[in-house]
Every structure is written in structure tokens, then in C-alpha cells.
């Protein structure tokens, strides 16, 4: 049985993963309507992964005798000035999520909830990969970006981790 404190902070993460999914959908929509179909594809795929992260938390909370609650999500920004700005926002958001996961890990140690601690290890590693993959996109953007957004947009899907979808099956 989950302690209430742990259930609550896991439900907070349901909201954050759900918001991540919507944020990346908003970015996909901006990219798609500004001619960046490759970037839009990257964001749609990323949004699907975040939904699976949310599902992992929902299923874990319910499996452990708690109750996952679906939150209202705040509206993500709809307008951006550039692809670079979009990916800088993605990195800042992923750093925020990493911090959020780490807070839950710290609470599980405090509360001696080793089951949830173990459940979270997948997310700890996932955040290392998420941040790494966004930093790689930003590096690539610095190399070819601005001068050649056509090539960047055409190639961006090739920068995705090939195993990412297999790894997030809840
Ligand atoms: Fe996530
Ligand atoms: Fe993420």
C-alpha cells in the first residue's frame, strides 16, 4: 500500500508527464504550421513517449493500492520565435522533470518506500537519455542550423534513439 505522501507526489508526476505530452504537442503544432515537418515529427513522437510515462505512473499508483487522479493541464505556449528557442525550452523542461523525479526518489528514501524507489530507477535513467538527446539536437542545430534549416529539419528524426519506443512500453 502506498503512503499518502508518495501517492500524492506520484500523482503530481502524472500531471507533469501529461503536461510534457501536451507541451510537445503544442510545439509539434507550431512546427507543422511553420514548415518544419521534421521537427513536428520529432515532437509528435516525443509527445507519445511522455503519454507513456504518464501511463507508467498511473498504472503504478493503482497497482500499489493508491488511486491515480487525472489532472487539469495548464495550456502550453502556442507561439515560438524559432526552432532553436523551441529546443532550448525542451531542454529546460526536461531539466525541470529530472529535478521532479529526483525529488520523488529523495522522498522514497525518507519514507523507506523501496518499491517505489525501484520503480523510479527507469525514470532516472530515462531522464539522463532525454537530456542527452535534446543536447545533441541543440549541438546539431548550432552546427547546421540557421544557415541550413532545410537539412536540419530533414535529418532530425535520424537523431532519435532507435530503441526509445521499445523502452517506454508501460
Ligand atoms: Fe517524461
Ligand atoms: Fe521527457
Amino acid at each position: 500500500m502506498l503512503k499518502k505522501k508518495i501517492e500524492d507526489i506520484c500523482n503530481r508526476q502524472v500531471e507533469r508527464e501529461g503536461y510534457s505530452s501536451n507541451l510537445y504537442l503544442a510545439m509539434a503544432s507550431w512546427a507543422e504550421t511553420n514548415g518544419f515537418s521534421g521537427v513536428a515529427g520529432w515532437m509528435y513522437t516525443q509527445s507519445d513517449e511522455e503519454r507513456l510515462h504518464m501511463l507508467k505512473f498511473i498504472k503504478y499508483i493503482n497497482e500499489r493500492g493508491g488511486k491515480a487522479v487525472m489532472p487539469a493541464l495548464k495550456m502550453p505556449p502556442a507561439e515560438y520565435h524559432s526552432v532553436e528557442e523551441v529546443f532550448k525550452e525542451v531542454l529546460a523542461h526536461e531539466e525541470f522533470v529530472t529535478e521532479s523525479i529526483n525529488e520523488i526518489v529523495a522522498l522514497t528514501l525518507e519514507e523507506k518506500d523501496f518499491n517505489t524507489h525501484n520503480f523510479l530507477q527507469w525514470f532516472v535513467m530515462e531522464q539522463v537519455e532525454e537530456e542527452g538527446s535534446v543536447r545533441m539536437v541543440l549541438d546539431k542545430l548550432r552546427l547546421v542550423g540557421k544557415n541550413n534549416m532545410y537539412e536540419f529539419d530533414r535529418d532530425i528524426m535520424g537523431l532519435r534513439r532507435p530503441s526509445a519506443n521499445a523502452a517506454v512500453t508501460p
Side-chain angles (χ1 to χ4, degrees), residues 5-148:
K5 268 189 186 173
I6 301 285
E7 180 180 351
D8 288 349
I9 204 169
C10 285
N11 266 315
R12 185 185 79 174
Q13 198 61 27
V14 168
E15 189 271 331
R16 290 182 175 175
E17 300 293 344
Y19 178 77
S20 303
S21 183
N22 269 9
L23 174 65
Y24 298 148
L25 275 184
M27 290 171 170
S29 184
W30 176 85
E32 197 159 53
T33 53
N34 281 276
F36 300 109
S37 56
V39 172
W42 195 99
M43 291 295 171
Y44 282 125
T45 305
Q46 194 65 29
S47 172
D48 286 346
E49 288 190 11
E50 299 299 352
R51 184 171 184 281
L52 290 175
H53 297 172
M54 178 178 68
L55 275 175
K56 270 181 182 279
F57 271 97
I58 290 170
K59 291 183 176 183
Y60 179 77
I61 295 165
N62 291 341
E63 191 185 346
R64 299 280 302 144
K67 183 177 184 197
V69 179
M70 292 320 103
L73 299 173
K74 73 172 194 267
M75 188 181 169
E79 293 304 327
Y80 301 90
H81 296 102
S82 66
V83 169
E84 191 185 14
E85 184 198 353
V86 166
F87 279 103
K88 282 182 172 167
E89 290 289 318
V90 173
L91 182 58
H93 184 70
E94 289 298 334
E95 286 170 347
F96 164 74
V97 171
T98 299
E99 195 50 46
S100 178
I101 296 287
N102 288 344
E103 279 173 27
I104 313 177
V105 172
L107 188 65
T108 60
L109 289 179
E110 216 174 276
E111 297 293 323
K112 297 187 170 32
D113 180 345
F114 302 115
N115 304 84
T116 305
H117 187 267
N118 190 47
F119 163 75
L120 290 167
Q121 296 313 302
W122 183 89
F123 285 90
V124 170
M125 286 315 298
E126 174 67 9
Q127 284 311 117
V128 171
E129 290 187 14
E130 293 266 79
E131 286 189 25
S133 112
V134 181
R135 287 200 183 91
M136 191 173 68
V137 170
L138 281 166
D139 285 346
K140 179 92 170 172
L141 196 50
R142 270 189 284 273
L143 283 174
V144 302
K146 292 182 185 151
N147 301 323
N148 203 337

Side-chain angles (χ1 to χ4, degrees), residues 154-166:
R154 185 194 60 193
D155 295 346
I156 184 171
M157 282 304 267
L159 297 176
R160 291 197 70 83
R161 293 172 276 154
S163 61
N165 279 329

